């Protein structure tokens, strides 16, 4: 794939927005770092983020929104969120809030959680792109997994040239540090990640200290062994089905649901959470899963399947 280098012109912006609407990957500048953007409502587009970055896990992603109204349609909006958003949006602050019914985001954005991280970036080019794309855009930092976050279009290309459709060049990112992430749980505000907005600014807006992160569900969902576990038990690496099992296939096998008949890992990642939910709704005792190759996106798929299969602590 040839990665298009789009300039900060109205033509470049329209092209970037059109690519996002088509499900392509477009890196774009924010005031913090360059994000690797994809349509947050498309399972396939979001799956491709993980493939392009070579992420070994489905960490939850931040959904970028063009305005406050979009944020309020996606999540519950307690007073604390409103105060922080009024003070710091647009800007380098991400708020993690409970999803509302009918939000329409791909479960790959939230890694199957009931919450989502939302951010209204302050970079003018990012805001115009989000408005023209007309949908929430999922975007982790635009670097291969484990590498340094990019703050110029050249950094993005150094890591991802040939792996994404385009980069929209807005020059250097002024903040250069990722956004500060605050989880809001009722009236409690928890600092989940330090970042470009100093925590003392947040605390003086709230009028009280941020709660420290502890071992609760908001803290590090991706790290919890079984944070997304179906009600049924899971049997992985199933080479043959046993009677009574719900069958989640991969490749050319007879099954109740199939992650990808053609063995395509991007398609499998896109289907993973939806298929698990649908099988779980069938209320069987065991969900058996075909072996999935442990290469590329397959590593993230297997990581998530192992977490879903991990023993539950109730
Ligand atoms: O400045 C930034 O935040 C950049 C730009 C592109 O916006 N984005 C960014 O995304 O840093 P990423 O994917 O590299 O980091 C997202 C972090 C992850 O550490 C993830 O665990 C946390 O946000 N996160 C996202 N959703 C969450 C949720 N529902 N609960 C807890 N943490 C969440
Ligand atoms: Mg990152």
């Amino acid at each position: 794939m040839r990665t298009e280098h789009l300039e900060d012109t109205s033509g470049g912006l329209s092209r970037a927005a059109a690519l996002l609407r088509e499900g392509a990957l477009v890196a774009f500048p924010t005031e913090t770092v360059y994000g690797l953007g994809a349509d947050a409502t498309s399972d396939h587009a979001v799956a491709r983020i993980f493939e392009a970055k070579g992420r070994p896990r489905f960490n939850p992603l931040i959904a970028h929104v063009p305005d406050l109204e979009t944020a309020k349609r996606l999540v519950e909006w307690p007073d604390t969120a409103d105060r922080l958003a009024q003070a710091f949006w647009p800007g380098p602050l991400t708020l993690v809030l409970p999803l509302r019914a009918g939000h329409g985001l791909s479960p790959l954005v939230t890694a199957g959680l009931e919450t989502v991280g939302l951010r209204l970036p302050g970079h003018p080019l990012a805001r115009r792109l989000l408005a023209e794309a007309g949908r929430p855009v999922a975007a982790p930092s635009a670097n291969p997994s484990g590498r340094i976050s990019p703050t110029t279009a050249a950094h993005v290309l150094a890591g991802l040239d040939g792996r994404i459709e385009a980069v929209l060049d807005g020059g250097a990112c002024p903040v250069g540090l990722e956004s500060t992430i605050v989880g809001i749980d009722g009236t409690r505000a928890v600092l989940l990640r330090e970042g470009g907005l100093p925590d003392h600014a947040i605390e003086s807006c709230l009028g009280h200290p941020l709660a420290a992160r502890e071992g609760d569900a908001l803290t590090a969902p991706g790290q919890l062994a079984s944070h997304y576990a179906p009600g049924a038990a899971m049997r992985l690496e199933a080479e043959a089905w046993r009677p009574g099992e719900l069958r989640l296939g991969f490749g050319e096998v007879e099954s109740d649901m199939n992650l990808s008949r053609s063995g395509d890992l991007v398609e499998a990642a896109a289907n993973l959470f939806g298929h698990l939910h649908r099988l779980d709704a069938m209320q069987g005792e065991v969900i058996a899963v075909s072996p999935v190759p442990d290469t590329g996106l397959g590593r993230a798929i297997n990581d998530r399947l192992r977490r879903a299969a991990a023993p539950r602590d109730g």
Side-chain angles (χ1 to χ4, degrees), residues 56-121:
R57 285 195 178 154
F58 295 118
N59 306 341
L61 303 174
I62 296 170
H64 297 68
V65 294
D67 49 48
L68 215 59
E69 290 65 50
T70 307
K72 290 180 185 172
R73 273 203 302 277
L74 296 173
V75 293
E76 285 166 31
W77 195 252
D79 232 34
T80 311
D82 207 49
R83 275 172 46 206
L84 293 176
Q86 294 296 342
F88 302 114
W89 277 6
L93 172 68
T94 294
L95 297 175
V96 174
L97 289 154
L99 283 162
R100 287 175 57 156
H103 54 79
L105 297 174
S106 165
L108 277 177
V109 173
T110 62
L113 295 169
E114 305 288 308
T115 56
V116 67
L118 294 184
R119 177 155 125 71
L120 204 173

Side-chain angles (χ1 to χ4, degrees), residues 192-251:
L192 298 178
R193 180 177 77 182
E194 317 245 358
L197 180 67
D199 39 359
H200 61 76
I202 299 169
E203 293 181 335
S204 69
C205 168
L206 291 173
H208 58 78
L210 284 158
R213 47 176 123 188
E214 299 159 28
D216 67 7
L218 262 180
T219 313
Q223 272 73 296
L224 294 182
S226 71
H227 89 262
Y228 176 68
M234 306 269 302
R235 188 169 74 84
L236 306 184
E237 312 273 343
E239 300 280 359
W241 309 124
R242 297 175 187 164
E245 289 179 331
L246 293 167
R247 303 162 300 177
L248 179 57
F250 177 84

